mmCIF file of all heavy atoms in Angstrom:
data_model
loop_
_atom_site.group_PDB
_atom_site.id
_atom_site.type_symbol
_atom_site.label_atom_id
_atom_site.label_comp_id
_atom_site.label_asym_id
_atom_site.label_seq_id
_atom_site.Cartn_x
_atom_site.Cartn_y
_atom_site.Cartn_z
ATOM 1 N N VAL A 1 4.858 8.872 -2.494
ATOM 2 C CA VAL A 1 3.565 8.662 -1.859
ATOM 3 C C VAL A 1 3.813 8.423 -0.379
ATOM 4 O O VAL A 1 4.811 7.797 -0.005
ATOM 5 C CB VAL A 1 2.792 7.497 -2.508
ATOM 6 C CG1 VAL A 1 3.603 6.204 -2.466
ATOM 7 C CG2 VAL A 1 1.446 7.304 -1.836
ATOM 8 N N TYR A 2 2.913 8.928 0.456
ATOM 9 C CA TYR A 2 3.058 8.831 1.899
ATOM 10 C C TYR A 2 1.874 8.105 2.510
ATOM 11 O O TYR A 2 0.770 8.104 1.974
ATOM 12 C CB TYR A 2 3.150 10.219 2.538
ATOM 13 C CG TYR A 2 4.241 11.088 1.972
ATOM 14 C CD1 TYR A 2 3.966 12.010 0.968
ATOM 15 C CD2 TYR A 2 5.548 11.008 2.451
ATOM 16 C CE1 TYR A 2 4.958 12.821 0.447
ATOM 17 C CE2 TYR A 2 6.546 11.808 1.942
ATOM 18 C CZ TYR A 2 6.250 12.719 0.939
ATOM 19 O OH TYR A 2 7.242 13.522 0.431
ATOM 20 N N LEU A 3 2.106 7.514 3.653
ATOM 21 C CA LEU A 3 1.030 6.988 4.472
ATOM 22 C C LEU A 3 1.260 7.464 5.899
ATOM 23 O O LEU A 3 2.175 6.987 6.569
ATOM 24 C CB LEU A 3 0.969 5.462 4.424
ATOM 25 C CG LEU A 3 -0.213 4.833 5.165
ATOM 26 C CD1 LEU A 3 -1.522 5.176 4.459
ATOM 27 C CD2 LEU A 3 -0.051 3.315 5.270
ATOM 28 N N GLN A 4 0.456 8.427 6.319
ATOM 29 C CA GLN A 4 0.507 8.913 7.692
ATOM 30 C C GLN A 4 -0.375 8.016 8.540
ATOM 31 O O GLN A 4 -1.570 7.900 8.284
ATOM 32 C CB GLN A 4 0.030 10.360 7.767
ATOM 33 C CG GLN A 4 0.028 10.942 9.176
ATOM 34 C CD GLN A 4 1.404 11.073 9.765
ATOM 35 O OE1 GLN A 4 2.314 11.571 9.106
ATOM 36 N NE2 GLN A 4 1.583 10.614 10.995
ATOM 37 N N MET A 5 0.200 7.390 9.545
ATOM 38 C CA MET A 5 -0.511 6.447 10.384
ATOM 39 C C MET A 5 -0.559 6.988 11.804
ATOM 40 O O MET A 5 0.482 7.138 12.451
ATOM 41 C CB MET A 5 0.158 5.074 10.347
ATOM 42 C CG MET A 5 0.331 4.512 8.941
ATOM 43 S SD MET A 5 0.991 2.824 8.930
ATOM 44 C CE MET A 5 2.621 3.130 9.605
ATOM 45 N N ASN A 6 -1.755 7.273 12.273
ATOM 46 C CA ASN A 6 -1.965 7.780 13.622
ATOM 47 C C ASN A 6 -2.768 6.779 14.435
ATOM 48 O O ASN A 6 -3.421 5.897 13.893
ATOM 49 C CB ASN A 6 -2.695 9.122 13.585
ATOM 50 C CG ASN A 6 -1.942 10.195 12.847
ATOM 51 O OD1 ASN A 6 -0.716 10.262 12.896
ATOM 52 N ND2 ASN A 6 -2.676 11.070 12.154
ATOM 53 N N SER A 7 -2.730 6.961 15.743
ATOM 54 C CA SER A 7 -3.480 6.086 16.653
ATOM 55 C C SER A 7 -3.240 4.619 16.343
ATOM 56 O O SER A 7 -4.170 3.822 16.241
ATOM 57 C CB SER A 7 -4.976 6.418 16.583
ATOM 58 O OG SER A 7 -5.220 7.764 16.917
ATOM 59 N N LEU A 8 -1.997 4.268 16.198
ATOM 60 C CA LEU A 8 -1.645 2.917 15.794
ATOM 61 C C LEU A 8 -2.046 1.888 16.850
ATOM 62 O O LEU A 8 -1.987 2.155 18.052
ATOM 63 C CB LEU A 8 -0.153 2.820 15.511
ATOM 64 C CG LEU A 8 0.271 3.396 14.162
ATOM 65 C CD1 LEU A 8 1.772 3.664 14.134
ATOM 66 C CD2 LEU A 8 -0.123 2.446 13.034
ATOM 67 N N LYS A 9 -2.454 0.733 16.350
ATOM 68 C CA LYS A 9 -2.888 -0.371 17.184
ATOM 69 C C LYS A 9 -1.994 -1.576 16.937
ATOM 70 O O LYS A 9 -1.404 -1.702 15.858
ATOM 71 C CB LYS A 9 -4.333 -0.745 16.858
ATOM 72 C CG LYS A 9 -5.330 0.388 16.962
ATOM 73 C CD LYS A 9 -6.707 -0.058 16.496
ATOM 74 C CE LYS A 9 -7.716 1.068 16.574
ATOM 75 N NZ LYS A 9 -9.059 0.634 16.105
ATOM 76 N N PRO A 10 -1.892 -2.478 17.894
ATOM 77 C CA PRO A 10 -1.111 -3.694 17.642
ATOM 78 C C PRO A 10 -1.570 -4.454 16.404
ATOM 79 O O PRO A 10 -0.741 -5.076 15.733
ATOM 80 C CB PRO A 10 -1.341 -4.515 18.918
ATOM 81 C CG PRO A 10 -1.564 -3.488 19.971
ATOM 82 C CD PRO A 10 -2.348 -2.394 19.286
ATOM 83 N N GLU A 11 -2.845 -4.375 16.076
ATOM 84 C CA GLU A 11 -3.387 -5.032 14.895
ATOM 85 C C GLU A 11 -2.838 -4.456 13.597
ATOM 86 O O GLU A 11 -2.986 -5.063 12.534
ATOM 87 C CB GLU A 11 -4.915 -4.944 14.864
ATOM 88 C CG GLU A 11 -5.597 -5.454 16.123
ATOM 89 C CD GLU A 11 -5.805 -4.355 17.142
ATOM 90 O OE1 GLU A 11 -6.853 -3.679 17.091
ATOM 91 O OE2 GLU A 11 -4.913 -4.182 18.003
ATOM 92 N N ASP A 12 -2.218 -3.279 13.653
ATOM 93 C CA ASP A 12 -1.619 -2.668 12.472
ATOM 94 C C ASP A 12 -0.234 -3.233 12.175
ATOM 95 O O ASP A 12 0.361 -2.898 11.143
ATOM 96 C CB ASP A 12 -1.505 -1.152 12.641
ATOM 97 C CG ASP A 12 -2.857 -0.472 12.764
ATOM 98 O OD1 ASP A 12 -3.780 -0.841 12.006
ATOM 99 O OD2 ASP A 12 -2.984 0.424 13.617
ATOM 100 N N THR A 13 0.287 -4.048 13.049
ATOM 101 C CA THR A 13 1.605 -4.646 12.848
ATOM 102 C C THR A 13 1.612 -5.479 11.569
ATOM 103 O O THR A 13 0.807 -6.390 11.408
ATOM 104 C CB THR A 13 1.989 -5.513 14.045
ATOM 105 O OG1 THR A 13 2.133 -4.691 15.203
ATOM 106 C CG2 THR A 13 3.309 -6.234 13.793
ATOM 107 N N ALA A 14 2.519 -5.147 10.665
ATOM 108 C CA ALA A 14 2.590 -5.826 9.381
ATOM 109 C C ALA A 14 3.757 -5.265 8.587
ATOM 110 O O ALA A 14 4.351 -4.249 8.953
ATOM 111 C CB ALA A 14 1.295 -5.642 8.593
ATOM 112 N N THR A 15 4.053 -5.935 7.486
ATOM 113 C CA THR A 15 4.939 -5.365 6.487
ATOM 114 C C THR A 15 4.083 -4.546 5.531
ATOM 115 O O THR A 15 3.101 -5.054 4.991
ATOM 116 C CB THR A 15 5.706 -6.451 5.732
ATOM 117 O OG1 THR A 15 6.491 -7.213 6.646
ATOM 118 C CG2 THR A 15 6.631 -5.825 4.693
ATOM 119 N N TYR A 16 4.442 -3.298 5.333
ATOM 120 C CA TYR A 16 3.665 -2.396 4.486
ATOM 121 C C TYR A 16 4.345 -2.245 3.132
ATOM 122 O O TYR A 16 5.553 -1.984 3.056
ATOM 123 C CB TYR A 16 3.502 -1.033 5.156
ATOM 124 C CG TYR A 16 2.467 -1.053 6.254
ATOM 125 C CD1 TYR A 16 2.716 -1.714 7.452
ATOM 126 C CD2 TYR A 16 1.239 -0.430 6.085
ATOM 127 C CE1 TYR A 16 1.757 -1.754 8.450
ATOM 128 C CE2 TYR A 16 0.278 -0.464 7.081
ATOM 129 C CZ TYR A 16 0.543 -1.129 8.262
ATOM 130 O OH TYR A 16 -0.417 -1.158 9.258
ATOM 131 N N TYR A 17 3.560 -2.396 2.076
ATOM 132 C CA TYR A 17 4.066 -2.353 0.714
ATOM 133 C C TYR A 17 3.442 -1.200 -0.058
ATOM 134 O O TYR A 17 2.236 -0.969 0.011
ATOM 135 C CB TYR A 17 3.741 -3.653 -0.029
ATOM 136 C CG TYR A 17 4.375 -4.881 0.565
ATOM 137 C CD1 TYR A 17 3.730 -5.627 1.536
ATOM 138 C CD2 TYR A 17 5.637 -5.305 0.137
ATOM 139 C CE1 TYR A 17 4.302 -6.762 2.075
ATOM 140 C CE2 TYR A 17 6.217 -6.441 0.666
ATOM 141 C CZ TYR A 17 5.543 -7.165 1.641
ATOM 142 O OH TYR A 17 6.124 -8.295 2.160
ATOM 143 N N CYS A 18 4.253 -0.510 -0.807
ATOM 144 C CA CYS A 18 3.796 0.484 -1.755
ATOM 145 C C CYS A 18 3.535 -0.197 -3.090
ATOM 146 O O CYS A 18 4.267 -1.110 -3.482
ATOM 147 C CB CYS A 18 4.849 1.580 -1.909
ATOM 148 S SG CYS A 18 4.426 2.910 -3.043
ATOM 149 N N ALA A 19 2.487 0.229 -3.783
ATOM 150 C CA ALA A 19 2.146 -0.352 -5.069
ATOM 151 C C ALA A 19 1.692 0.736 -6.041
ATOM 152 O O ALA A 19 1.239 1.804 -5.628
ATOM 153 C CB ALA A 19 1.039 -1.400 -4.908
ATOM 154 N N ALA A 20 1.798 0.441 -7.329
ATOM 155 C CA ALA A 20 1.390 1.396 -8.351
ATOM 156 C C ALA A 20 0.898 0.669 -9.589
ATOM 157 O O ALA A 20 1.273 -0.480 -9.846
ATOM 158 C CB ALA A 20 2.553 2.325 -8.718
ATOM 159 N N LYS A 21 0.042 1.340 -10.346
ATOM 160 C CA LYS A 21 -0.414 0.839 -11.631
ATOM 161 C C LYS A 21 -0.788 2.016 -12.508
ATOM 162 O O LYS A 21 -1.144 3.082 -12.005
ATOM 163 C CB LYS A 21 -1.601 -0.112 -11.466
ATOM 164 C CG LYS A 21 -2.851 0.516 -10.885
ATOM 165 C CD LYS A 21 -3.965 -0.523 -10.773
ATOM 166 C CE LYS A 21 -5.215 0.080 -10.165
ATOM 167 N NZ LYS A 21 -6.297 -0.954 -10.078
ATOM 168 N N PRO A 22 -0.740 1.845 -13.831
ATOM 169 C CA PRO A 22 -1.136 2.932 -14.725
ATOM 170 C C PRO A 22 -2.575 3.361 -14.463
ATOM 171 O O PRO A 22 -3.428 2.540 -14.103
ATOM 172 C CB PRO A 22 -0.982 2.328 -16.124
ATOM 173 C CG PRO A 22 0.045 1.252 -15.947
ATOM 174 C CD PRO A 22 -0.235 0.687 -14.579
ATOM 175 N N ASN A 23 -2.858 4.630 -14.670
ATOM 176 C CA ASN A 23 -4.191 5.162 -14.411
ATOM 177 C C ASN A 23 -5.268 4.477 -15.229
ATOM 178 O O ASN A 23 -6.426 4.412 -14.787
ATOM 179 C CB ASN A 23 -4.216 6.663 -14.681
ATOM 180 C CG ASN A 23 -3.429 7.467 -13.667
ATOM 181 O OD1 ASN A 23 -3.354 7.104 -12.497
ATOM 182 N ND2 ASN A 23 -2.843 8.565 -14.123
ATOM 183 N N PHE A 24 -4.936 3.962 -16.405
ATOM 184 C CA PHE A 24 -5.950 3.365 -17.264
ATOM 185 C C PHE A 24 -6.343 1.956 -16.825
ATOM 186 O O PHE A 24 -7.293 1.390 -17.370
ATOM 187 C CB PHE A 24 -5.491 3.344 -18.734
ATOM 188 C CG PHE A 24 -4.212 2.612 -19.002
ATOM 189 C CD1 PHE A 24 -4.180 1.229 -19.059
ATOM 190 C CD2 PHE A 24 -3.034 3.316 -19.208
ATOM 191 C CE1 PHE A 24 -3.006 0.549 -19.316
ATOM 192 C CE2 PHE A 24 -1.848 2.650 -19.464
ATOM 193 C CZ PHE A 24 -1.833 1.268 -19.516
ATOM 194 N N VAL A 25 -5.635 1.371 -15.867
ATOM 195 C CA VAL A 25 -5.998 0.057 -15.354
ATOM 196 C C VAL A 25 -7.130 0.220 -14.357
ATOM 197 O O VAL A 25 -6.996 0.921 -13.357
ATOM 198 C CB VAL A 25 -4.795 -0.644 -14.706
ATOM 199 C CG1 VAL A 25 -5.212 -1.983 -14.105
ATOM 200 C CG2 VAL A 25 -3.689 -0.847 -15.726
ATOM 201 N N VAL A 26 -8.238 -0.459 -14.615
ATOM 202 C CA VAL A 26 -9.441 -0.318 -13.805
ATOM 203 C C VAL A 26 -9.262 -0.975 -12.445
ATOM 204 O O VAL A 26 -8.626 -2.038 -12.329
ATOM 205 C CB VAL A 26 -10.653 -0.925 -14.535
ATOM 206 C CG1 VAL A 26 -11.902 -0.887 -13.653
ATOM 207 C CG2 VAL A 26 -10.903 -0.184 -15.835
ATOM 208 N N GLY A 27 -9.829 -0.351 -11.432
ATOM 209 C CA GLY A 27 -9.815 -0.922 -10.103
ATOM 210 C C GLY A 27 -9.055 -0.066 -9.109
ATOM 211 O O GLY A 27 -8.063 0.590 -9.456
ATOM 212 N N VAL A 28 -9.508 -0.083 -7.864
ATOM 213 C CA VAL A 28 -8.875 0.670 -6.786
ATOM 214 C C VAL A 28 -8.088 -0.243 -5.867
ATOM 215 O O VAL A 28 -6.969 0.081 -5.448
ATOM 216 C CB VAL A 28 -9.914 1.463 -5.989
ATOM 217 C CG1 VAL A 28 -9.279 2.127 -4.771
ATOM 218 C CG2 VAL A 28 -10.582 2.507 -6.870
ATOM 219 N N ARG A 29 -8.670 -1.398 -5.542
ATOM 220 C CA ARG A 29 -8.081 -2.292 -4.555
ATOM 221 C C ARG A 29 -7.302 -3.458 -5.144
ATOM 222 O O ARG A 29 -6.756 -4.266 -4.383
ATOM 223 C CB ARG A 29 -9.176 -2.835 -3.631
ATOM 224 C CG ARG A 29 -9.908 -1.747 -2.873
ATOM 225 C CD ARG A 29 -10.768 -2.306 -1.774
ATOM 226 N NE ARG A 29 -11.335 -1.252 -0.949
ATOM 227 C CZ ARG A 29 -11.700 -1.390 0.305
ATOM 228 N NH1 ARG A 29 -11.568 -2.567 0.909
ATOM 229 N NH2 ARG A 29 -12.216 -0.367 0.977
ATOM 230 N N ASP A 30 -7.239 -3.557 -6.454
ATOM 231 C CA ASP A 30 -6.502 -4.642 -7.081
ATOM 232 C C ASP A 30 -5.943 -4.191 -8.421
ATOM 233 O O ASP A 30 -6.148 -3.064 -8.855
ATOM 234 C CB ASP A 30 -7.368 -5.897 -7.227
ATOM 235 C CG ASP A 30 -8.643 -5.640 -8.015
ATOM 236 O OD1 ASP A 30 -8.783 -4.566 -8.636
ATOM 237 O OD2 ASP A 30 -9.519 -6.523 -7.998
ATOM 238 N N GLY A 31 -5.217 -5.063 -9.072
ATOM 239 C CA GLY A 31 -4.672 -4.778 -10.383
ATOM 240 C C GLY A 31 -3.320 -4.084 -10.385
ATOM 241 O O GLY A 31 -2.845 -3.668 -11.437
ATOM 242 N N TYR A 32 -2.703 -3.957 -9.228
ATOM 243 C CA TYR A 32 -1.405 -3.275 -9.143
ATOM 244 C C TYR A 32 -0.293 -4.192 -9.650
ATOM 245 O O TYR A 32 -0.213 -5.359 -9.245
ATOM 246 C CB TYR A 32 -1.129 -2.829 -7.714
ATOM 247 C CG TYR A 32 -2.088 -1.762 -7.270
ATOM 248 C CD1 TYR A 32 -3.314 -2.086 -6.711
ATOM 249 C CD2 TYR A 32 -1.775 -0.412 -7.441
ATOM 250 C CE1 TYR A 32 -4.215 -1.103 -6.337
ATOM 251 C CE2 TYR A 32 -2.668 0.573 -7.063
ATOM 252 C CZ TYR A 32 -3.886 0.221 -6.515
ATOM 253 O OH TYR A 32 -4.778 1.208 -6.146
ATOM 254 N N ASN A 33 0.546 -3.649 -10.496
ATOM 255 C CA ASN A 33 1.585 -4.455 -11.130
ATOM 256 C C ASN A 33 2.998 -4.058 -10.747
ATOM 257 O O ASN A 33 3.959 -4.733 -11.157
ATOM 258 C CB ASN A 33 1.422 -4.443 -12.649
ATOM 259 C CG ASN A 33 1.405 -3.038 -13.240
ATOM 260 O OD1 ASN A 33 1.122 -2.056 -12.554
ATOM 261 N ND2 ASN A 33 1.698 -2.942 -14.530
ATOM 262 N N TYR A 34 3.155 -2.984 -9.990
ATOM 263 C CA TYR A 34 4.464 -2.579 -9.493
ATOM 264 C C TYR A 34 4.438 -2.559 -7.976
ATOM 265 O O TYR A 34 3.513 -2.000 -7.374
ATOM 266 C CB TYR A 34 4.871 -1.208 -10.050
ATOM 267 C CG TYR A 34 4.950 -1.171 -11.555
ATOM 268 C CD1 TYR A 34 3.997 -0.493 -12.298
ATOM 269 C CD2 TYR A 34 5.977 -1.815 -12.233
ATOM 270 C CE1 TYR A 34 4.071 -0.458 -13.677
ATOM 271 C CE2 TYR A 34 6.049 -1.790 -13.608
ATOM 272 C CZ TYR A 34 5.097 -1.106 -14.322
ATOM 273 O OH TYR A 34 5.170 -1.075 -15.703
ATOM 274 N N TRP A 35 5.461 -3.141 -7.376
ATOM 275 C CA TRP A 35 5.491 -3.304 -5.921
ATOM 276 C C TRP A 35 6.857 -2.978 -5.348
ATOM 277 O O TRP A 35 7.881 -3.271 -5.963
ATOM 278 C CB TRP A 35 5.142 -4.743 -5.532
ATOM 279 C CG TRP A 35 3.744 -5.136 -5.892
ATOM 280 C CD1 TRP A 35 3.312 -5.633 -7.078
ATOM 281 C CD2 TRP A 35 2.593 -5.048 -5.049
ATOM 282 N NE1 TRP A 35 1.953 -5.864 -7.031
ATOM 283 C CE2 TRP A 35 1.495 -5.522 -5.800
ATOM 284 C CE3 TRP A 35 2.393 -4.630 -3.733
ATOM 285 C CZ2 TRP A 35 0.201 -5.571 -5.272
ATOM 286 C CZ3 TRP A 35 1.116 -4.678 -3.203
ATOM 287 C CH2 TRP A 35 0.047 -5.151 -3.977
ATOM 288 N N GLY A 36 6.854 -2.390 -4.159
ATOM 289 C CA GLY A 36 8.083 -2.203 -3.415
ATOM 290 C C GLY A 36 8.431 -3.444 -2.620
ATOM 291 O O GLY A 36 7.706 -4.444 -2.623
ATOM 292 N N GLN A 37 9.539 -3.387 -1.907
ATOM 293 C CA GLN A 37 10.011 -4.522 -1.127
ATOM 294 C C GLN A 37 9.402 -4.575 0.272
ATOM 295 O O GLN A 37 9.500 -5.605 0.945
ATOM 296 C CB GLN A 37 11.536 -4.497 -1.024
ATOM 297 C CG GLN A 37 12.238 -4.690 -2.359
ATOM 298 C CD GLN A 37 11.904 -6.021 -2.991
ATOM 299 O OE1 GLN A 37 12.016 -7.073 -2.352
ATOM 300 N NE2 GLN A 37 11.483 -5.991 -4.251
ATOM 301 N N GLY A 38 8.790 -3.494 0.715
ATOM 302 C CA GLY A 38 8.116 -3.477 1.996
ATOM 303 C C GLY A 38 8.934 -2.847 3.099
ATOM 304 O O GLY A 38 10.162 -2.832 3.062
ATOM 305 N N THR A 39 8.233 -2.319 4.090
ATOM 306 C CA THR A 39 8.858 -1.778 5.291
ATOM 307 C C THR A 39 8.059 -2.269 6.498
ATOM 308 O O THR A 39 6.829 -2.270 6.485
ATOM 309 C CB THR A 39 8.932 -0.234 5.244
ATOM 310 O OG1 THR A 39 9.649 0.253 6.379
ATOM 311 C CG2 THR A 39 7.548 0.400 5.205
ATOM 312 N N GLN A 40 8.756 -2.700 7.517
ATOM 313 C CA GLN A 40 8.104 -3.325 8.663
ATOM 314 C C GLN A 40 7.594 -2.284 9.654
ATOM 315 O O GLN A 40 8.313 -1.361 10.035
ATOM 316 C CB GLN A 40 9.074 -4.278 9.372
ATOM 317 C CG GLN A 40 8.501 -4.959 10.619
ATOM 318 C CD GLN A 40 7.377 -5.917 10.291
ATOM 319 O OE1 GLN A 40 7.410 -6.586 9.262
ATOM 320 N NE2 GLN A 40 6.382 -5.986 11.155
#
């Protein structure tokens, strides 16, 4: 999975994490049970 980030702003500064969950788990913004370690 990719995240193309354009027109970056200082407010975008953060550790970014990839997450995943089975398709049958309801919800778009929550309920993720698998996580990466993050990239700064």
Side-chain angles (χ1 to χ4, degrees):
V1 57
Y2 305 95
L3 185 67
Q4 179 66 47
M5 305 185 294
N6 299 325
S7 301
L8 282 162
K9 305 175 181 179
E11 306 91 89
D12 296 317
T13 295
T15 300
Y16 283 71
Y17 298 90
C18 181
K21 63 180 179 180
N23 290 327
F24 58 78
V25 177
V26 175
V28 174
R29 300 192 173 206
D30 57 11
Y32 293 87
N33 55 338
Y34 300 108
W35 295 86
Q37 295 299 309
T39 185
Q40 178 66 36

